[in-house]
Amino acid sequence: MDGTSAAAYVYAKACGMLSKSFIGARADKLFAARSLSDLWTLLFKSEVPLVPEALLAKQIEEKAEQTFIDDYIVLLDAFDKPDPISVQLLRFYDYNNIKDIAAALCEGKTEMPALANIGKYSALDYNAWPDIAAITQNSPMAWYNTVPSWNTQYEMDRRLDVQYIRELWEAVRLLPKSERAPVEHIIGEYIVLENCIWAIRLAVYYGMEKEEIIGRLAGEKDMPDKYDRLAGEAVRILDRAVDTWHDWADWKYVALINSGEEGSVWNLDPRRIQQAAGVYLNRKALNSFHRYPFTANVLVTWFKIKKHELNCIRTAAEGMRLNTEVPVNR
């Protein structure tokens, strides 16, 4: 299709897909399911596999993820040449896959782990298993050409995360100026919050010092400062005490953190922030989806909305597997 026809088709198709999705109030249905079997039937309208509950939860998550990917590829395939940002969003799975491959090889496994399949949009040659250098050859990840040791795996994975974020941001900047602003807003805030959450996790869970954390952020520079477009907000919050509520009362994202009470012991909860940030960004994507039809914003917001739905499915399945109550993450 030519660009105009493809954009019109994708917008109509994406609208139809969202109308059947478990988003907004319909997300309640995921958490109202009484069993993993009910959840499977709700999602896939097919016969439930005869496997133990723990395996069924895993199969639900894997099938839901691949269904999400396949649906997105249907939208991408409408374009002769999709925007770089639309492809880069999908390449998230390449980066995750190479981490899983490296971990499996590090453990000495001979069978390839289960991987997300993004088809022709992948930059990696998975047929070259178990040769990690051949898998990553001629890709942006070609530097990842040796099996990491237990001591180096974390650092190499961190480098992958930073690289993906920077490539995602660069893909936004490649959009035509007429389409860039809404996508830049959505993706920019997503990256900012990802950096903030990562910084908070490192401070709370690992007690890292400011300079050590800054070196692990995905900024425009290797050592971002407080003015960095992507990591500046995360750098600035590192001066706030993670055990003092009043230090956070004036933060621009204060609505995302766990509240404190006068006189009570309080500590910043990274899990609460991550969950609240997901809901916050999902609402922004939902509000933006229809505002810019026939532009790159449609695929970007659709991807983010459906990725949030996928997270809700995982939360519901895991809650049923563990027999615990979970919040509805609209």
Side-chain angles (χ1 to χ4, degrees):
M1 292 187 205
D2 64 74
T4 303
S5 299
Y9 168 80
V10 165
Y11 179 63
K13 185 76 172 176
C15 286
M17 288 176 172
L18 287 186
S19 70
K20 300 174 184 177
S21 300
F22 295 95
I23 57 178
R26 292 195 79 229
D28 292 353
K29 294 185 177 181
L30 298 174
F31 299 93
R34 296 183 177 182
S35 67
L36 287 167
S37 296
D38 288 346
L39 184 60
W40 176 282
T41 303
L42 176 68
L43 292 169
F44 309 124
K45 306 294 190 294
S46 63
E47 188 174 341
V48 181
L50 297 176
V51 296
E53 289 279 286
L55 289 180
L56 183 57
K58 183 176 177 60
Q59 287 190 21
I60 287 172
E61 293 180 30
E62 289 178 349
K63 185 173 176 64
E65 180 177 76
Q66 193 59 53
T67 299
F68 159 63
I69 291 170
D70 292 344
D71 285 346
Y72 187 67
I73 288 174
V74 167
L75 300 177
L76 277 186
D77 282 347
F79 295 96
D80 293 332
K81 187 177 181 182
D83 290 310
I85 182 61
S86 302
V87 175
Q88 186 62 24
L89 283 168
L90 192 58
R91 291 264 173 89
F92 166 84
Y93 290 101
D94 266 348
Y95 282 82
N96 259 20
N97 285 347
I98 203 63
K99 290 179 188 178
D100 290 342
I101 287 171
L105 292 172
C106 184
E107 293 173 11
K109 294 183 178 178
T110 57
E111 186 175 331
M112 180 184 283
L115 303 173
N117 179 11
I118 62 172
K120 66 183 181 182
Y121 296 101
S122 175
L124 302 174
D125 180 8
Y126 296 111
N127 291 324
W129 165 272
D131 185 343
I132 195 167
I135 292 172
T136 61
Q137 188 176 20
N138 300 320
S139 80
M141 290 163 274
W143 58 268
Y144 207 132
N145 55 13
T146 58
V147 178
S149 66
W150 290 111
N151 294 330
T152 61
Q153 187 178 349
Y154 169 82
E155 183 56 32
M156 293 179 77
D157 285 356
R158 186 197 68 82
R159 184 175 169 185
L160 283 174
D161 291 338
V162 172
Q163 179 176 324
Y164 174 75
I165 289 295
R166 287 177 174 169
E167 289 178 359
L168 186 67
W169 187 240
E170 180 58 29
V172 173
R173 308 306 292 271
L174 293 175
L175 283 171
K177 193 173 182 180
S178 60
E179 298 186 32
R180 192 183 308 155
V183 176
E184 192 173 71
H185 182 69
I186 288 287
I187 298 297
E189 192 158 29
Y190 157 74
I191 295 173
V192 166
L193 281 169
E194 282 287 294
N195 272 312
C196 287
I197 293 166
W198 183 233
I200 289 168
R201 288 175 65 89
L202 293 177
V204 173
Y205 293 149
Y206 301 98
M208 287 189 185
E209 297 297 327
K210 181 177 180 178
E211 291 305 312
E212 191 177 5
I213 293 173
I214 288 174
R216 286 171 164 76
L217 298 176
E220 294 177 303
K221 300 176 292 186
D222 289 339
M223 288 296 290
D225 57 27
K226 63 181 180 179
Y227 303 109
D228 191 283
R229 173 64 178 83
L230 306 179
E233 185 66 32
V235 173
R236 291 191 292 273
I237 64 172
L238 291 173
D239 292 322
R240 302 174 187 258
V242 297
D243 59 356
T244 305
W245 159 253
H246 291 297
D247 266 19
W248 298 84
D250 63 344
W251 188 37
K252 65 183 295 184
Y253 294 114
V254 65
L256 306 182
I257 70 176
N258 49 304
S259 58
E261 297 180 5
E262 193 69 36
S264 63
V265 175
W266 180 87
N267 284 283
L268 200 58
D269 184 353
R271 291 171 299 179
R272 167 69 170 81
I273 298 172
Q274 185 162 21
Q275 182 185 69
V279 174
Y280 168 78
L281 290 169
N282 182 59
R283 287 174 181 164
K284 295 201 78 166
L286 284 167
N287 290 336
S288 179
F289 176 78
H290 291 292
R291 292 184 63 189
Y292 305 95
F294 320 127
T295 71
N297 188 67
V298 170
L299 278 179
V300 170
T301 51
W302 187 95
F303 187 93
K304 289 299 181 184
I305 292 165
K306 293 290 286 185
K307 192 80 181 297
H308 183 74
E309 178 196 39
L310 181 59
N311 289 338
C312 289
I313 291 170
R314 286 175 173 149
T315 301
E318 188 66 8
M320 289 177 205
R321 185 181 73 82
L322 298 174
N323 196 27
T324 58
E325 289 191 15
V326 293
V328 177
N329 302 314
R330 292 187 188 175

